[in-house]
Amino acid sequence: MARRRQIYEGKAKVLFEGPEPGTLVQYFKDDATAFNNQKRGTITGKGVLNNRISEYLMLRLGEIGVPTHFVRRLNMREQLVREVEIIPLEVVIRNVAAGSLATRFGLTEGTPLPRSIVEYYFKSDALGDPMVSEEHITAFGWANTQDLDEIMSLALRINDFLSGLLLGVGIRLVDFKIEFGRLYNGDDMQIVLADEISPDSCRLWDIHTGDKMDKDRFRRDLGGVEEAYQEVARRLGILPEGGPRDLKGPQTMQ
Ligand code: ADP
Ligand code: MG
């Protein structure tokens, strides 16, 4: 097979040129980073699990009419997606106080919020993803008011749907980060959900024990990181056939 052209290597994924114009291949790595790249490590099997988990959640969201970049999974670590023009924002939706929100407002982690809160951060590793307001976003031209209305409405629909889906398998969706992109079709532009939804980008707590089932186990050195990601996949009914032993997957696919 011809070697594909690598477009970008990020912290958790590699993007390759897709087989057809307007498509990309997302390759999910086991690399883990936290605190804006200051902490680095590997979580064995993470890429395989995140590929599956993101596929599953994007397919379910697609079924309720949320447009996504997902096309199909190609293999253990890769999925085909539509290439979009990424809107340079990390959109964070919070249901329960945790992480930076708990720190900033002096809230105890685990305090339910009066209502879901949507926050925007400017995607820039160099600047440490600073929080921004709609004013900054529209003034700097990252998105216009109409785009932001659409992003907010999609974010809240995604939150409602995923909260219910995860609650059904005993998981509380505390908060999560998503990215959106612009998909052009002639003169039409549609904003679609892009990137990934996985335990890397969500805070997921067991509904009964409160145990963390996400990247906070890595960030805070809690141990049991691999097991937590596996448990999320198991509850969603999507552990790869051979079980955890299968998780390393083929070593090289580029
Ligand atoms: P980063 O270190 O920048 O977070 P990742 O390792 O998460 O990078 O790799 C994914 C990168 O690809 C991100 O920068 C993300 O914005 C971008 N991306 C995700 N989905 C798409 C898509 N459909 N089209 C173009 N770029 C995308
Ligand atoms: Mg990323």
Side-chain angles (χ1 to χ4, degrees):
M1 200 171 85
R3 241 181 124 77
R4 290 165 306 183
R5 197 159 72 85
Q6 182 173 312
I7 310 266
Y8 176 81
E9 174 154 14
K11 298 183 291 289
K13 301 185 285 302
V14 187
L15 299 182
F16 295 97
E17 203 169 62
E20 304 126 44
T23 64
L24 293 175
V25 173
Q26 266 194 329
Y27 175 94
F28 287 74
K29 302 190 284 184
D30 285 349
D31 300 1
T33 64
F35 311 117
N36 194 28
N37 246 332
Q38 287 172 55
K39 182 182 172 92
R40 291 166 206 238
T42 6
I43 303 174
T44 308
K46 171 172 86 77
V48 175
L49 290 166
N50 283 357
N51 187 23
R52 289 272 178 157
I53 293 169
S54 198
E55 168 194 23
Y56 180 80
L57 297 176
M58 292 233 183
L59 283 175
R60 297 291 83 77
L61 284 164
E63 285 164 6
I64 62 152
V66 172
T68 83
H69 73 160
F70 184 81
V71 180
R72 65 177 178 275
R73 189 166 57 82
L74 297 172
N75 55 52
M76 299 269 281
R77 284 184 185 272
E78 296 179 323
Q79 53 179 245
L80 185 68
V81 300
R82 280 185 201 293
E83 180 170 22
V84 300
E85 181 187 291
I86 288 285
I87 297 168
L89 297 174
E90 304 214 326
V91 180
V92 173
I93 301 95
R94 301 176 178 274
N95 300 305
V96 175
S100 67
L101 180 112
T103 308
R104 254 185 305 128
F105 297 104
L107 297 167
T108 309
E109 279 216 315
T111 311
L113 298 171
R115 63 174 169 79
S116 301
I117 295 174
V118 179
E119 299 172 339
Y120 302 111
Y121 296 83
F122 178 53
K123 252 180 86 68
S124 163
D125 285 343
L127 300 174
D129 299 335
M131 192 178 194
V132 292
S133 71
E134 288 202 24
E135 279 290 291
H136 301 116
I137 297 168
T138 52
F140 293 123
W142 300 320
N144 63 30
T145 309
Q146 203 185 329
D147 297 336
L148 280 177
D149 285 349
E150 178 69 4
I151 287 171
M152 174 74 86
S153 128
L154 284 170
L156 292 174
R157 271 175 77 198
I158 293 166
N159 182 47
D160 283 350
F161 181 77
L162 291 185
S163 292
L165 185 151
L166 289 163
L167 196 59
V169 297
I171 297 174
R172 170 161 294 125
L173 181 59
V174 170
D175 56 39
F176 62 106
K177 183 275 290 185
I178 44 183
E179 293 179 26
F180 292 94
R182 297 190 183 88
L183 192 58
Y184 294 94
N185 187 355
D187 282 345
D188 288 343
M189 186 278 285
Q190 191 185 24
I191 291 183
V192 306
L193 177 64
D195 203 49
E196 70 177 298
I197 307 182
S198 73
D200 271 11
S201 54
C202 301
R203 282 202 172 88
L204 306 169
W205 295 358
D206 181 274
I207 207 83
H208 297 296
T209 63
D211 284 353
K212 298 187 196 311
M213 306 172 71
D214 55 62
K215 204 167 90 175
D216 269 348
R217 301 205 72 87
F218 167 77
R219 287 192 194 94
R220 305 180 188 188
D221 295 321
L222 298 176
V225 190
E226 285 90 353
E227 293 77 4
Y229 280 63
Q230 277 168 30
E231 179 61 14
V232 173
R234 193 192 64 76
R235 291 201 194 176
L236 292 172
I238 52 175
L239 250 197
E241 283 296 300
R245 253 184 323 227
D246 242 20
L247 287 179
K248 269 200 119 179
Q251 287 303 299
T252 46
M253 331 202 80
Q254 291 93 313

